[in-house]
Amino acid sequence: MRRVLPFIANPEYAFTAPWLAALQAAMPQETLVALDDMSEAERAGCTVAIVANPRPEDLRRLPNLRWVHSVWAGVERLVADLADMKLQIVRLVDPQLADTMAEAVLAWTFYLHRDMPRYAAQQAAREWRAQDYVRAQDKTVSLLGLGALGEAAARRLLAAGFKVRGWSRTRKAIDGVQCHTGEDELGAMLAQTDILVCLLPLTPQTAGIVDTQVLAQLPAHASLINFARGAIVDDTALRAALERGALAHAVLDVFAVEPLPADSWHWAHPRVTVLPHISAPTDRSTASRIVAANLAAYRESGAIPPCVDAARGY
Ligand code: NAP
């Protein structure tokens, strides 16, 4: 019997064929297949699958599955969907993805730092007015989350001259970055923040964590960038903070409901920049090489790469 490796995505996912091609190119020794192309015996012999937001019922068709390798970095949906399946989840950790995210954080930090939303509004009003210039080294960018993406963003921001702070569940040590942990230190960090960047995973602990209280601790001129997950920010609190002038601007790449519904308040809000979840797309070729290396190690030694901690949710 041939040994096959399934790639399982939601049937509506438009990029299954390109993923199959990229994964196959990175793993010539494997036979990549779609779930429906596997025989019953092949499904019974399968212990690992590569997944992109699969339907849980599809994974249940593989009775001896031990682990899944996601091609996404954010796996909150997989963690929730597979809670009763005792499956180990490996998420994508790709330096290219971290680099792409760091670039996006820098780009949109510059957008806020150089007052682009305000100059766009002034242009629309035919208003010729210079705002005060504040140097990057006099601005503090604070990161919620100092993981694979947050740390890469911190380094890029430092190199661009900003003061950088970061907050994580456990304390980090990153040269040049003032690292914080715990609720008290979060407050201290927020009070010193000009631009707050969210790069937390969505978990039961982080859902709605950017709430009225967190937003109230930011200086009124501060702005928010959310490149993580929409549900981490309390949308009602965000709108209220923007409307009472307690927050200058929000750059939002992620939303509780995506695609963002046409009647959503965010679209036309003068203090909101809407992006269609584009800050850091997975690169199929680098991701496939990383998945390939993890699979090769598993085939050789049975070792499963570091997995998502189900209790922590990330
Ligand atoms: P990661 O490596 O798991 O890092 C997560 C960071 O958040 C860690 O520093 C972690 O602290 C911290 N954290 C988690 N829970 C916390 C809590 N309750 N309180 C304080 N800190 C907490 O994740 P990543 O690879 O950097 O990715 C972050 C998220 O980015 C993903 O989960 C995904 O949702 C999102 N993402 C978005 C896009 C996009 O295009 N918009 C693309 C890729 C990923 P510790 O270090 O102490 O564990």
Side-chain angles (χ1 to χ4, degrees), residues 6 42 56 95 127 167 175 178 193 198 241-242 256 262 294 314:
E42 284 167 347
E127 186 181 347
W167 184 72
D175 263 0
Q178 211 165 330
T193 295
C198 180
L242 289 165
N294 287 338
Y314 72 101

Side-chain angles (χ1 to χ4, degrees), residues 10 52-54 74-82 202:
N10 190 295
N53 280 343
V75 287
E76 69 283 349
R77 200 154 109 200
L78 210 48
V79 171
D81 283 354
L82 308 188
L202 176 58

Side-chain angles (χ1 to χ4, degrees), residues 73-76 91-92 97 101 144-150 167-172 199-203 205-206 209 227-229 253-254 277-281 312 314:
V75 287
E76 69 283 349
R91 70 185 193 101
L92 180 71
L97 183 77
M101 180 58 90
L144 295 174
L146 282 174
L149 305 186
W167 184 72
S168 50
R169 199 179 47 83
T170 56
R171 192 176 300 282
K172 297 280 169 286
L199 283 173
L200 291 166
L202 176 58
T203 69
Q205 288 70 40
T206 65
I209 199 171
F227 284 171
R229 287 293 183 264
D253 183 45
V254 286
H277 203 137
I278 46 74
S279 54
R312 280 187 340 195
Y314 72 101

Side-chain angles (χ1 to χ4, degrees), residues 1-308:
M1 183 178 71
R2 62 179 187 157
R3 187 182 68 186
V4 296
L5 177 58
F7 174 74
I8 306 176
N10 190 295
E12 278 148 35
Y13 183 54
F15 296 96
T16 295
W19 267 112
L20 275 167
L23 289 162
Q24 187 63 76
M27 290 179 255
Q29 72 287 7
E30 297 277 353
T31 305
L32 266 293
V33 290
L35 184 62
D36 285 340
D37 296 333
M38 296 170 81
S39 68
E40 200 176 327
E42 284 167 347
R43 280 192 274 115
C46 175
T47 57
V48 55
I50 303 171
V51 299
N53 280 343
R55 296 184 304 191
E57 62 265 34
D58 285 341
L59 297 181
R60 288 198 178 89
R61 291 170 65 195
L62 303 169
N64 295 307
L65 195 60
R66 291 180 59 205
W67 65 290
V68 292
H69 199 320
S70 172
V71 294
W72 312 137
V75 287
E76 69 283 349
R77 200 154 109 200
L78 210 48
V79 171
D81 283 354
L82 308 188
D84 62 338
M85 280 179 74
K86 289 203 171 71
L87 262 185
Q88 292 190 283
I89 299 170
V90 174
R91 70 185 193 101
L92 180 71
V93 181
D94 181 351
Q96 176 58 58
L97 183 77
D99 203 49
T100 306
M101 180 58 90
E103 178 187 83
V105 169
L106 185 62
W108 295 98
T109 294
F110 276 140
Y111 169 79
L112 295 169
H113 166 56
R114 295 308 305 256
D115 278 326
M116 293 194 208
R118 198 190 299 221
Y119 286 119
Q122 286 184 194
Q123 180 176 348
R126 297 172 184 258
E127 186 181 347
W128 181 276
R129 186 208 303 239
Q131 304 294 335
D132 272 351
Y133 173 70
V134 180
R135 298 175 308 171
Q137 56 265 47
D138 294 324
K139 285 212 179 142
T140 299
V141 184
S142 296
L143 295 148
L144 295 174
L146 282 174
L149 305 186
E151 180 171 349
R155 293 187 192 285
R156 192 72 77 91
L157 291 163
L158 271 183
F162 293 98
K163 288 191 274 194
V164 182
R165 292 173 179 248
W167 184 72
S168 50
R169 199 179 47 83
T170 56
R171 192 176 300 282
K172 297 280 169 286
I174 305 169
D175 263 0
V177 178
Q178 211 165 330
C179 295
H180 303 268
T181 188
E183 218 170 296
D184 292 349
E185 292 185 26
L186 174 62
M189 178 179 91
L190 294 170
Q192 299 301 318
T193 295
D194 296 297
I195 298 172
L196 182 67
V197 181
C198 180
L199 283 173
L200 291 166
L202 176 58
T203 69
Q205 288 70 40
T206 65
I209 199 171
V210 180
D211 59 5
T212 304
Q213 205 190 334
V214 162
L215 294 169
Q217 292 176 81
L218 290 167
H221 67 265
S223 295
L224 171 73
I225 296 176
N226 185 9
F227 284 171
R229 287 293 183 264
I232 294 171
V233 175
D234 174 339
D235 226 27
T236 309
L238 173 66
R239 187 177 190 178
L242 289 165
E243 284 179 3
R244 68 170 186 275
L247 188 70
H249 199 88
V251 176
L252 307 173
D253 183 45
V254 286
F255 299 87
V257 178
E258 293 181 13
L260 185 63
D263 62 356
S264 166
W265 64 270
H266 309 81
W267 288 110
H269 199 289
R271 290 173 180 253
V272 174
T273 298
V274 171
L275 301 171
H277 203 137
I278 46 74
S279 54
T282 299
D283 180 309
R284 265 194 294 278
S285 63
T286 58
S288 293
R289 287 200 289 276
I290 284 161
V291 175
N294 287 338
L295 257 296
Y298 173 67
R299 296 295 196 206
E300 198 177 311
S301 68
I304 299 177
C307 292
V308 170

